[in-house]
Amino acid sequence: MDVEFTLNGKELAGKEVVVFEKLYLGSELITSHEDIEDEYQTVKFKEPEIDTTATDKEDGDHEVYPEEEVTIVDRVDYKGLIPGKEYVLKGKLMDKATGRPLLIKGEEVTKEVKFTPISENGYVEIEFVIDARELIGKEIVVFEDLYRDDKEVVVHNDIDDEDQTIKVVEPEIGTSATDKETGTKEPSPEEEVTIVDTVTYKNLTPGKEYTIKGTLMNKET
């Protein structure tokens, strides 16, 4: 015969439970089987885990350019899920500086994906497409929550996790102006003088066309 125990296993993740039995005839105890070390009486509750890595879809690193359309890919590796059951993975972008949800045009950035694992271990990806033009210098952290049957299974919300962090790089330029003829910073006061301004740059988007505009200023005024 079978004896069934129905219980809430949410708080038992990672624990081992041993079943004890007593057999009665009427009110008289006939025998018992109570062995805390008996493996046949033991069931172990799996402990679901997720580990995540957020990257720029374009080049796979942890930096994005401040462009109108940027795609952040969050790869979530999971362990201990139940094959054949549907799960929902919910992701949210966070502002590392404030520890609060990232707001773009006043709205939080969230995404969710449903999936059914074919084995207890595997991975799933979520993509966030954002306008990063107003996010220069910010660090974005991806938070994840995993659900099954509308119940939270596991979370991975670590504001300091570098693998979950994407930085919106800040374009920079540095310049050095010299007299073209002499290569010095002291041109002669002649009728025609050429000043060469050498501009070095960082964190520009490869393949995009930029325009540099220069203006000569009177330092005295």
Side-chain angles (χ1 to χ4, degrees), residues 123-168:
Y123 77 91
V124 64
E125 292 182 339
I126 297 183
E127 292 191 0
F128 300 87
V129 180
I130 63 171
D131 183 345
R133 290 176 295 179
E134 303 299 324
L135 304 178
I136 292 176
K138 280 191 177 295
E139 290 184 297
I140 302 169
V141 184
V142 187
F143 278 11
E144 303 88 359
D145 297 82
L146 184 65
Y147 292 82
R148 185 170 75 86
D149 296 333
D150 295 323
K151 296 178 181 178
E152 187 180 90
V153 176
V154 63
V155 301
H156 191 168
N157 298 344
D158 182 357
I159 201 69
D160 294 314
D161 189 336
E162 293 186 2
D163 287 335
Q164 286 180 281
T165 303
I166 294 287
K167 182 173 182 179
V168 183

Side-chain angles (χ1 to χ4, degrees), residues 10 15 73 114 135 162:
K10 183 175 176 58
K15 291 185 180 296
V73 178
K114 295 180 180 179
L135 304 178
E162 293 186 2

Side-chain angles (χ1 to χ4, degrees), residues 28-178:
E28 181 181 355
L29 178 64
I30 302 300
T31 186
S32 64
H33 189 177
E34 301 177 352
D35 182 359
I36 200 69
E37 303 296 339
D38 190 335
E39 293 185 3
Y40 291 103
Q41 287 180 282
T42 303
V43 293
K44 181 174 181 179
F45 286 82
K46 293 180 179 179
E47 187 168 13
E49 301 176 21
I50 57 175
D51 186 44
T52 70
T53 304
T55 56
D56 174 20
K57 184 176 183 178
E58 188 169 334
D59 58 16
D61 65 9
H62 291 279
E63 295 182 338
V64 296
Y65 299 104
E67 297 181 342
E68 184 175 1
E69 186 174 297
V70 169
T71 301
I72 296 172
V73 178
D74 188 34
R75 170 173 167 149
V76 180
D77 291 274
Y78 56 79
K79 294 181 180 180
L81 302 192
I82 303 173
K85 298 293 184 179
E86 184 179 77
Y87 290 82
V88 178
L89 183 65
K90 298 182 180 182
K92 178 184 292 188
L93 299 187
M94 306 292 291
D95 185 335
K96 184 172 183 178
T98 64
R100 300 189 178 196
L102 179 72
L103 298 180
I104 297 181
K105 297 180 180 179
E107 299 290 333
E108 294 184 6
V109 183
T110 61
K111 188 74 176 289
E112 67 177 57
V113 61
K114 295 180 180 179
F115 69 100
T116 302
I118 59 175
S119 62
E120 64 178 52
N121 302 332
Y123 77 91
V124 64
E125 292 182 339
I126 297 183
E127 292 191 0
F128 300 87
V129 180
I130 63 171
D131 183 345
R133 290 176 295 179
E134 303 299 324
L135 304 178
I136 292 176
K138 280 191 177 295
E139 290 184 297
I140 302 169
V141 184
V142 187
F143 278 11
E144 303 88 359
D145 297 82
L146 184 65
Y147 292 82
R148 185 170 75 86
D149 296 333
D150 295 323
K151 296 178 181 178
E152 187 180 90
V153 176
V154 63
V155 301
H156 191 168
N157 298 344
D158 182 357
I159 201 69
D160 294 314
D161 189 336
E162 293 186 2
D163 287 335
Q164 286 180 281
T165 303
I166 294 287
K167 182 173 182 179
V168 183
V169 295
E170 183 172 5
E172 301 176 19
I173 59 173
T175 69
S176 177
T178 57

